[in-house]
Amino acid sequence: MGPVTAVSATVGSTATEDLSLRANSLMPGGVSSPVRSFAKVGLPPFYASRGEGPRIFDRDGRSFIDYILSWGPLALGHAHPGVVDAVTKAAREGLSFGTCTEREVDLAAVITGALPSVELVRFVSSGTEAVMSAVRVARAATGRDLIVKFDGGYHGHADAFLVSAGSGAATLALPDSPGVPAAATLTRVAPFNDLESVEALFAREGDNIACVVVEPVMGNAGLIRPLEGFLAGLRDICTRRGAVLVFDEVMTGFRVAWGGAQVAFSVRPDLTALGKVIGGGMPVAAYGGRAELMELVAPAGPVYQAGTLSGNPLGMAAGLAQLTELAKPGVQEEMAGSAARLADGLAGAAQSAGVAACTASIGSMWGLFFTEGPVRNFGDAKRSQTEMFARFHRACFARGVLLAPSPFEAGFVSSVHTDTDIAETLEAASEALEEACAA
Ligand SMILES: *Cc1c(COP(=O)(O)O)cnc(C)c1O
């Protein structure tokens, strides 16, 4: 019996199956973004009906402790009253103006206050736009064309980045997407945590490298921490070679620490891309950095970049409300404690079950690979047992724990995941591991 049959027999879903059938005839693959397909773990897509705190409910009325959290943005959990109130108030005042508003100035002040490297910031609507635009600035500033990224690093779906791009592409086996023209040949790829490879790229083509773009903590190839000195090493290479260092903190921003990985690791990039958490669940992203670079952006400078809905008032309200909560003393530390307890507990459970696994956490992000480890780059990550992950995922799902449906995604916790939620999750995970091993 195949995994799909096994699962649908257990859950006997109806609304989900109906919706999934309808969606398949209306939308490519039935989804609005490829990661939402649960095909790799043998499940139909998840149809959310509502969320409350750490829990998400599906259209069949089932309840799950949620570790996807909208793929990172929901640092305060689902439908946080402070965020919902702020958005509701903003909505009553108007959904969009296409003009400047006070809220965007306020959110810009919070962001520049939290990230020491960001002197000026521009709001956009998606992380994809943020990184794409940061690269445009880097190319304009240097007059060079090449960009360096890391194997398994995901920076959104702009052409130049759909090369060795981590979870979505890796899981769906689309390392190079058709439809991406020669632009991608301006992209060079190095293994994460390997400064020598970066040095070698610069030795060969340094005079034409505009920027190095990096997720300072990898989150789209599973969670991979930077080794001691790696980020500082990139800083040093870029400074020496006149290239721009771009931190893609779309995922790590306000998750690895208040501010982001650049605060946690004390390394200052030239430009930073943000998204996810800064929008509180609304489509908000941003890029920013040194004033000298950001002043190249129109209308201050000649680099064109624009957006009809950029700085949308509902998004700004959600972001402000969420960051205001996250700034309160102890919130980041509490989330980090939950993520660490989860990672440690999962490691212990795997050991008890006799399953090769390695786990990690940093801030409110955590990860699990079904391999001995250590996992220092995407090559190591790809050694993990994907079939084991699929069985584990389904067994967790059946016990009310929702994990990202890919072995190459980071997990998240929110400020409202309680000790009880974590304990329940670990209990479910222990059983799930036993079941996954028995299969
Ligand atoms: C999610 C993500 C992006 C893309 O953001 P979108 O809002 O989905 O376009 C870019 N970079 C990183 C590191 C991300 O995690």
Side-chain angles (χ1 to χ4, degrees), residues 151 192-193 221 224 369-384 408:
D151 185 24
F192 191 66
N193 276 327
I224 307 177
F369 291 111
F370 284 118
T371 178
E372 291 292 350
V375 175
R376 287 162 303 196
N377 56 44
F378 194 39
D380 293 340
K382 280 192 288 198
R383 268 183 230 122
S384 58
F408 305 115

Coordinates of all heavy atoms in Angstrom, one line a residue, residues 151 192-193 221 224 369-384 408:
D151 N 25.4 27.0 -2.3 CA 24.6 25.8 -2.7 C 23.5 25.5 -1.7 O 23.8 25.4 -0.5 CB 25.6 24.6 -2.7 CG 24.9 23.3 -3.2 OD1 23.9 23.4 -4.0 OD2 25.4 22.2 -2.9
F192 N 28.3 26.3 1.3 CA 28.2 27.0 2.5 C 29.3 26.6 3.5 O 29.7 25.5 3.4 CB 26.8 26.8 3.1 CG 26.4 27.7 4.3 CD1 26.2 29.1 4.1 CD2 26.3 27.2 5.6 CE1 25.9 29.9 5.1 CE2 25.9 28.0 6.6 CZ 25.7 29.4 6.4
N193 N 29.8 27.5 4.3 CA 30.8 27.2 5.3 C 32.1 26.9 4.7 O 33.0 26.3 5.3 CB 30.3 26.1 6.2 CG 29.5 26.6 7.4 OD1 29.7 27.8 7.8 ND2 28.5 25.8 7.8
A221 N 17.6 24.9 3.4 CA 18.3 23.6 3.0 C 18.2 22.8 4.3 O 19.0 21.9 4.5 CB 19.7 23.8 2.6
I224 N 21.1 25.1 8.9 CA 22.5 24.9 8.9 C 23.2 26.2 9.5 O 23.0 27.3 8.9 CB 23.1 24.6 7.6 CG1 22.4 23.4 6.9 CG2 24.6 24.3 7.7 CD1 22.8 23.1 5.5
F369 N 17.7 16.7 10.8 CA 18.1 16.0 9.6 C 18.2 14.5 10.1 O 18.8 14.2 11.1 CB 19.5 16.4 9.2 CG 19.6 17.8 8.5 CD1 20.2 18.8 9.2 CD2 19.0 18.0 7.3 CE1 20.3 20.1 8.6 CE2 19.1 19.3 6.7 CZ 19.7 20.3 7.4
F370 N 17.7 13.6 9.2 CA 17.9 12.2 9.5 C 19.2 11.7 8.9 O 19.2 11.0 7.9 CB 16.7 11.4 9.0 CG 15.5 11.5 9.9 CD1 14.3 12.1 9.4 CD2 15.5 11.2 11.2 CE1 13.2 12.3 10.2 CE2 14.4 11.3 12.1 CZ 13.2 11.9 11.6
T371 N 20.3 12.1 9.5 CA 21.6 11.7 9.2 C 22.5 11.9 10.4 O 22.2 12.7 11.3 CB 22.2 12.5 7.9 OG1 23.5 12.1 7.7 CG2 22.2 14.0 8.2
E372 N 23.6 11.2 10.4 CA 24.6 11.3 11.6 C 25.1 12.8 11.8 O 25.3 13.2 12.9 CB 25.8 10.4 11.3 CG 25.5 8.9 11.4 CD 25.1 8.4 12.8 OE1 25.3 9.2 13.8 OE2 24.7 7.3 12.9
G373 N 25.3 13.5 10.7 CA 25.9 14.8 10.8 C 27.4 14.6 11.0 O 27.9 13.5 11.0
P374 N 28.1 15.7 11.1 CA 27.6 17.1 11.2 C 27.1 17.5 9.8 O 27.6 17.1 8.8 CB 28.8 17.9 11.7 CG 30.0 17.2 11.2 CD 29.6 15.7 11.2
V375 N 26.1 18.4 9.8 CA 25.7 19.0 8.6 C 26.2 20.4 8.5 O 25.8 21.3 9.2 CB 24.1 19.0 8.5 CG1 23.6 19.7 7.2 CG2 23.6 17.5 8.5
R376 N 27.1 20.6 7.6 CA 27.8 21.9 7.4 C 27.4 22.6 6.1 O 27.7 23.8 6.0 CB 29.3 21.8 7.5 CG 29.8 21.5 8.9 CD 31.2 20.9 8.9 NE 31.2 19.7 8.1 CZ 32.2 18.9 8.1 NH1 33.2 19.0 8.9 NH2 32.1 17.8 7.3
N377 N 26.8 21.9 5.2 CA 26.4 22.5 3.9 C 25.3 21.6 3.3 O 24.9 20.6 3.9 CB 27.6 22.6 3.0 CG 28.3 21.3 2.8 OD1 27.7 20.3 2.6 ND2 29.6 21.3 2.9
F378 N 24.8 22.0 2.2 CA 23.7 21.3 1.5 C 24.1 19.9 1.1 O 23.3 19.0 1.1 CB 23.2 22.2 0.3 CG 21.9 21.7 -0.2 CD1 20.9 21.4 0.7 CD2 21.6 21.7 -1.6 CE1 19.6 21.0 0.2 CE2 20.4 21.4 -2.1 CZ 19.4 21.0 -1.2
G379 N 25.4 19.8 0.7 CA 25.8 18.4 0.4 C 25.7 17.5 1.5 O 25.1 16.3 1.3
D380 N 26.0 17.9 2.7 CA 25.8 17.1 3.9 C 24.3 16.8 4.1 O 23.9 15.7 4.5 CB 26.4 17.8 5.2 CG 27.9 17.9 5.2 OD1 28.6 17.1 4.4 OD2 28.4 18.8 5.9
A381 N 23.5 17.9 4.0 CA 22.1 17.8 4.3 C 21.5 16.7 3.4 O 20.6 16.0 3.8 CB 21.4 19.2 4.1
K382 N 21.9 16.7 2.1 CA 21.3 15.8 1.1 C 21.6 14.3 1.4 O 21.0 13.5 0.8 CB 21.8 16.2 -0.3 CG 21.0 17.4 -0.8 CD 21.2 17.6 -2.3 CE 22.6 18.1 -2.6 NZ 22.7 18.7 -3.9
R383 N 22.5 14.1 2.4 CA 22.7 12.7 2.8 C 21.6 12.2 3.7 O 21.6 11.0 4.1 CB 24.0 12.6 3.5 CG 25.1 12.2 2.5 CD 26.4 12.0 3.2 NE 27.4 12.8 2.5 CZ 28.2 13.7 3.1 NH1 28.1 14.0 4.3 NH2 29.0 14.4 2.3
S384 N 20.7 13.1 4.2 CA 19.7 12.6 5.1 C 18.7 11.8 4.4 O 18.4 11.9 3.2 CB 19.1 13.8 5.8 OG 18.5 14.7 4.9
F408 N 14.1 19.5 3.9 CA 15.1 20.6 3.7 C 14.5 22.0 4.1 O 14.6 22.9 3.4 CB 15.7 20.6 2.3 CG 16.3 19.3 2.0 CD1 15.7 18.5 0.9 CD2 17.4 18.8 2.6 CE1 16.3 17.3 0.6 CE2 17.9 17.6 2.3 CZ 17.4 16.8 1.3

